[in-house]
């Protein structure tokens, strides 16, 4: 019954045999153990397969300690100083019930122990210097588990993750620079006021894709140190496709920044010596891109790749083979491209 | 309350006043702005005294220190890790993709113009390519540090900037990553100016790559004379964390960035540590891993009139421990080197001390972060109570030992007792491997201890002359206290002998 309190993917009791329960506990990104807690019986012989699955390439160990002894053992590990590496950063302490050595990323170790007969909450912790302050979990032996978000025996991040997400309305319009899929690393996500969204690439100085629906989920990037891309939360109906590298070579456009007007960005960039100003505007069923340039002396070619999912109309110039050719006069006036999902 | 009673009881003891941080400094937790993940990437006090802070998800918020209220200045930046408030309506922010000028032109208190000042550096999309700074010098130039990528991950399909193939062809990053990640280097610099410190004129956007050899330069600042200092973090090519006095054209040890030196054609990993050591400039200060710092952050000079006798010295933040360090430098043989010692140590200070800024009133703002490593979140506000602690103010190298100066006259008997000065020396290997054990370690007994007539300075000669390339660790014994009975607040200091003095 208590086990059902845990979200299923976080809990992995592999099998319960004569040797007692077997568990897999992984070290994961953000100095965390996954699962953050497990349940066993007092006096039970258990085996923990400890796997270092931390994608940020950090070594970790795992030490199971007596109830209440986590801080003491973590501090004793820190006090090992220069002797730490040879001892797997594990102090010689009677408070330690079982230990797994320092495990390199991608590797695993096994840790077997018989839990004491006393009911209790037995912490597991990584005592690699510094990690122990945040990287810990708990074996509940004969003690009921509190709800995850109230559990003081697990790491603060795991406790936080146990909270139900608050249903907050999306802020619109908004501009968020973040790693976006299918763009250069210098991407800008734009939520238009209604239900249209765009990824504009400051590396290429171009619109990369447009979608309808919700904006983005930045959690994969924000939860850690940036080793993840934001998720697009709607249906992409137009994309520039792959573009290769940005910002390399003498002909690369130069991004100059943006000005917010009513919360929406007015992008500025220089391409071929000409200053371009570009805005994104919401249509009831799509997105309108308005590109303006002062002082062009010859017709400009604006790349507008076709996409089977979209219908594109232009206010001026000739759109052919994924390129729009516009006269200096039209550019000075502003060219309007409307992109809509194809019917 | 209990703490106060405890201290009062100690103070009543006849000879020794143990002392804690809060006897000398107040530490206040500042409520974070609402709705923000309070991982602080940058702090700066504007000329009017407002505190500008930037946060993990890209918010810039402004704290009025009088009313303690926050207002929103900007949103949506990409991992801003440094901010400089030129005024209340204009700030410079270093975010992952660029140095940006944010300006409030319509006067509503929030930025409406986001002007790209400099984005002429590469990004592979690797998570470790953080961008630090800007530290702004007296002439208004911006100094930024660009982190190298980690082979904990590969690169994005589309990168920004020119790709450098030296060592590992690009294709292998996509097709054979498992096989080549070792050959790529634990930390790599495949696009321009990764691992470099760059000088930027924010008026023109002109950038000058200044110095190479950095791994994770999460801290740029100036000493009182305006010289540039940059911290780096223990890892590959970095035996222990350190502070560099940075000069134009210097190479500061991490090999990856060398591929962007003019005319460089070889794979630096193949050149090897022995050869690279010949062109490497060693650090001014070493922070021994574990004992002192695992991840040093921003250096910041203590302004005149602030923190008593420590004015002019540098503070350096530390991520892993609840600590802000103090660095005391001296010039020896034409190079800067010196001591590091804890300054603010332990609770109520938090971990994760990423950014520091002095207020107009001489108080210190501290911003904390973790970015999923060890650390904390939030802002703390620290002010001196006015009472100067008994501390090691200076530690200066002599040919045969060190001269220590205390902030107050020391108890003469204890200060003259050689048993109160436990030294050991060791060095860190310069190599490609991650970190270094302490090598050639030896305990050293003082041969002679001489106390100055004012009781503040102690000349300690050791059993051997001090050696270049070694860190000297000094632990001062517990009986050493001030003449007035104040215990030494911090007893563990480290001096990095880059050059041994001739006298």
């Amino acid at each position: 019954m208590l086990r059902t309190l845990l979200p299923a993917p976080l809990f992995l009791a592999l099998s319960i045999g004569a040797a007692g329960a077997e568990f897999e506990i992984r070290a994961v990104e953000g100095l965390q153990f996954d699962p953050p807690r497990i349940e066993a019986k007092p006096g039970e012989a258990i085996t923990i397969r400890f796997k270092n699955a931390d994608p940020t390439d950090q070594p970790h160990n795992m030490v199971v300690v007596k109830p209440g002894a986590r801080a003491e053992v973590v501090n004793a590990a820190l006090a090992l100083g220069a002797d730490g590496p040879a001892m797997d950063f594990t102090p010689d302490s009677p408070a330690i019930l079982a230990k797994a050595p320092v495990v390199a990323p991608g590797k695993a170790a096994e840790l077997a122990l018989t839990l004491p007969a006393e009911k209790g909450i037995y912490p597991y912790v990584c005592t690699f210097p510094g990690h122990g302050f945040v990287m810990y979990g708990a074996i509940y032996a004969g003690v009921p588990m509190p709800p995850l978000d109230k559990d003081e025996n697990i790491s603060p991040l795991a406790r936080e993750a146990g909270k139900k997400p608050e249903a907050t309305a999306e802020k619109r319009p908004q501009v968020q620079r973040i790693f976006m899929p299918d763009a250069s690393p210098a991407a800008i996500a734009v939520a238009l006021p209604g239900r249209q969204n765009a990824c504009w690439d400051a590396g290429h100085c171009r619109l990369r894709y447009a979608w309808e629906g919700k904006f983005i989920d930045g959690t994969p990037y924000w939860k850690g140190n940036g080793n993840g891309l934001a998720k697009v939360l709607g249906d992409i109906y137009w994309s520039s496709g792959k573009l290769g590298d940005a910002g390399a070579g003498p002909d690369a456009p130069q991004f100059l920044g943006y000005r917010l007007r009513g919360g929406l960005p007015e992008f500025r960039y220089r391409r071929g010596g000409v200053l371009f100003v570009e805005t994104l505007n919401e249509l009831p069923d799509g997105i309108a891109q308005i590109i303006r340039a002062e002082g062009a002396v010859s017709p400009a070619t604006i790349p507008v790749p076709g996409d089977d999912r979209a219908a594109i109309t232009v206010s001026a110039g000739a759109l052919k083979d994924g390129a729009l050719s516009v006269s200096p006069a039209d550019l000075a006036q502003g060219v309007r491209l409307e992109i809509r999902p194809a019917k | 309350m209990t703490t106060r009673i405890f201290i009062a009881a100690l103070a009543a003891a006849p000879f020794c006043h143990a002392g804690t941080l809060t006897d000398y400094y107040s530490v206040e937790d500042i409520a974070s702005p609402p709705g923000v993940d309070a991982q602080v990437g940058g702090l700066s006090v504007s000329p009017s005294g407002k505190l500008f802070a930037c946060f993990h998800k890209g918010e810039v918020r402004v704290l009025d220190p009088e009313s303690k209220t926050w207002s929103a200045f900007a949103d949506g930046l990409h991992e801003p890790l440094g901010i400089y408030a030129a005024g209340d309506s204009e700030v410079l922010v270093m975010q992952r993709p660029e140095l940006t000028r944010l300006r409030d032109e319509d006067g509503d208190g929030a930025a409406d113009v986001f002007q790209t000042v400099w984005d002429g550096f590469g990004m592979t999309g690797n998570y470790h390519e953080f961008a630090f700074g800007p530290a702004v010098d007296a002439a208004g130039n911006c100094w930024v540090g660009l982190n190298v990528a980690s082979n904990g991950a590969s690169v994005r399909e589309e990168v920004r900037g020119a790709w450098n193939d030296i060592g590992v062809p690009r294709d292998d990053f996509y097709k054979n990553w498992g096989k080549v990640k070792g050959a790529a280097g634990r930390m790599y610099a495949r696009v321009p100016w990764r691992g470099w410190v760059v000088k930027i004129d924010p008026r023109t956007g002109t950038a000058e790559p200044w110095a190479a050899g950095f791994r994770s330069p999460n801290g740029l600042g100036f000493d009182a004379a305006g010289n540039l200092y940059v911290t780096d973090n223990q890892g590959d090519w970095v035996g222990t964390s350190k502070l560099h006095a940075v000069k134009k054209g210097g190479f500061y040890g991490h090999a990856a960035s060398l591929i962007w030196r003019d005319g460089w054609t070889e794979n630096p990993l193949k050149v090897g540590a022995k050869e690279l050591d010949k062109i490497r400039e060693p650090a001014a200060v070493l922070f021994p891993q574990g004992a002192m710092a695992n991840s040093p952050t921003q250096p910041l000079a203590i302004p005149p009139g602030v923190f008593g006798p420590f004015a002019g010295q540098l503070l350096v933040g530390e991520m892993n421990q609840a600590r802000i360090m103090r660095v005391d430098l001296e010039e020896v043989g034409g190079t800067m080197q010196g001591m590091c010692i804890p300054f603010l140590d332990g609770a109520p200070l938090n971990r994760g001390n990423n950014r520091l800024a002095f207020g107009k009133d001489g108080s210190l703002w501290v911003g904390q972060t973790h970015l999923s490593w060890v650390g904390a979140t939030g802002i703390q506000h620290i002010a001196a109570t006015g009472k100067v602690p008994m501390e090691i103010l200076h530690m200066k190298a002599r040919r045969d030992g060190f001269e220590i100066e205390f902030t107050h006259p020391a108890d003469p008997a204890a200060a003259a007792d050689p048993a109160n000065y436990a030294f050991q020396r060791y060095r860190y290997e310069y190599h490609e491997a991650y970190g270094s054990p302490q090598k050639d370690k030896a305990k050293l007994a003082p041969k002679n201890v001489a106390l100055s007539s004012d009781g503040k300075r102690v000349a300690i000669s050791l059993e051997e002359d001090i050696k270049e390339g070694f860190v000297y660790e000094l632990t001062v014994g517990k009986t050493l206290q001030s003449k007035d009975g104040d215990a030494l607040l911090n007893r563990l200091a480290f001096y990095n002998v880059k050059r041994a003095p001739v006298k």
Side-chain angles (χ1 to χ4, degrees), chain B residues 8 28 108 116 143 158 209 245 256 278 289-290 323 377 391 426 490:
Chain B
E28 182 192 3
D108 67 351
T116 305
W143 299 79
E158 290 182 21
K278 294 176 186 165
Q289 175 82 0
R323 177 174 292 168
T377 59
E391 287 262 38
Y426 40 83
N490 292 291

Side-chain angles (χ1 to χ4, degrees), chain B residues 3-4 7 19-30 321-324 343-353 366 368 376-383 385 489:
Chain B
T3 320
R4 283 171 191 277
I7 290 163
T20 63
L21 189 160
T22 49
D23 288 350
Y24 306 100
Y25 307 97
S26 63
V27 180
E28 182 192 3
D29 294 339
I30 300 297
Q321 304 177 55
R323 177 174 292 168
I324 291 169
F343 180 61
L344 303 170
D345 202 23
L349 183 70
N350 292 333
R351 292 190 185 82
N353 299 299
V366 182
Q368 289 134 357
T377 59
I379 292 174
Q380 293 186 303
H381 189 209
I382 290 157
T385 60
L489 192 58

Side-chain angles (χ1 to χ4, degrees), chain A residues 29-31 55-59 75 78 81-83 129-134 157 171 175-187 201-204 208 221-229 241-249 254-261, chain B residues 37 39 56-58 75-79 95-98 100 103 105 111-117 119 123-130 150-153 156-163 170 174 181 186 289-291 294 320-321 351 370-375 434 438 441:
Chain A
E29 186 175 1
L31 302 179
T56 62
D57 200 33
Q58 304 194 59
N75 286 323
L78 271 184
D83 298 329
H131 295 189
F133 302 118
V134 290
L157 267 180
K171 192 186 158 213
V175 176
Q176 181 67 56
R177 304 191 71 161
I178 192 167
F179 284 160
M180 292 288 288
D182 305 314
S184 89
D201 194 328
H204 291 284
R208 295 304 300 267
Y221 177 93
W222 285 325
K223 71 174 183 189
N225 42 34
N227 196 16
L229 310 178
K242 293 179 182 178
L243 291 187
D245 292 344
Q254 190 188 359
F255 181 56
L256 302 174
Y258 54 95
R259 176 189 287 271
L260 291 178
R261 294 193 192 278
Chain B
D37 177 345
Q39 296 190 63
H56 179 49
K57 292 184 181 173
D75 287 286
L77 304 180
H78 192 168
E79 200 74 74
Q95 45 176 335
R96 251 190 207 273
E98 64 183 51
T100 311
R103 215 165 34 223
E105 285 192 355
D112 33 55
V113 173
F114 297 71
Q115 185 186 21
T116 305
V117 175
D119 66 354
M123 300 173 83
T124 66
N126 182 282
Y127 70 98
H128 219 286
E129 287 176 348
F130 300 106
S150 163
N151 78 0
R156 297 278 299 278
E157 200 170 327
E158 290 182 21
V159 308
R160 187 180 75 184
W163 181 274
R170 182 167 179 182
Y174 305 108
K181 64 182 278 194
R186 184 166 175 126
Q289 175 82 0
N294 292 33
N320 284 48
Q321 304 177 55
R351 292 190 185 82
H370 57 77
L371 292 180
S372 84
W373 286 287
V374 177
Y434 194 98
Q438 296 174 349
K441 197 166 173 168

Side-chain angles (χ1 to χ4, degrees), chain B residues 314-325:
Chain B
L314 296 178
L315 297 181
V316 180
E318 146 72 348
M319 290 291 299
N320 284 48
Q321 304 177 55
R323 177 174 292 168
I324 291 169
M325 304 175 281

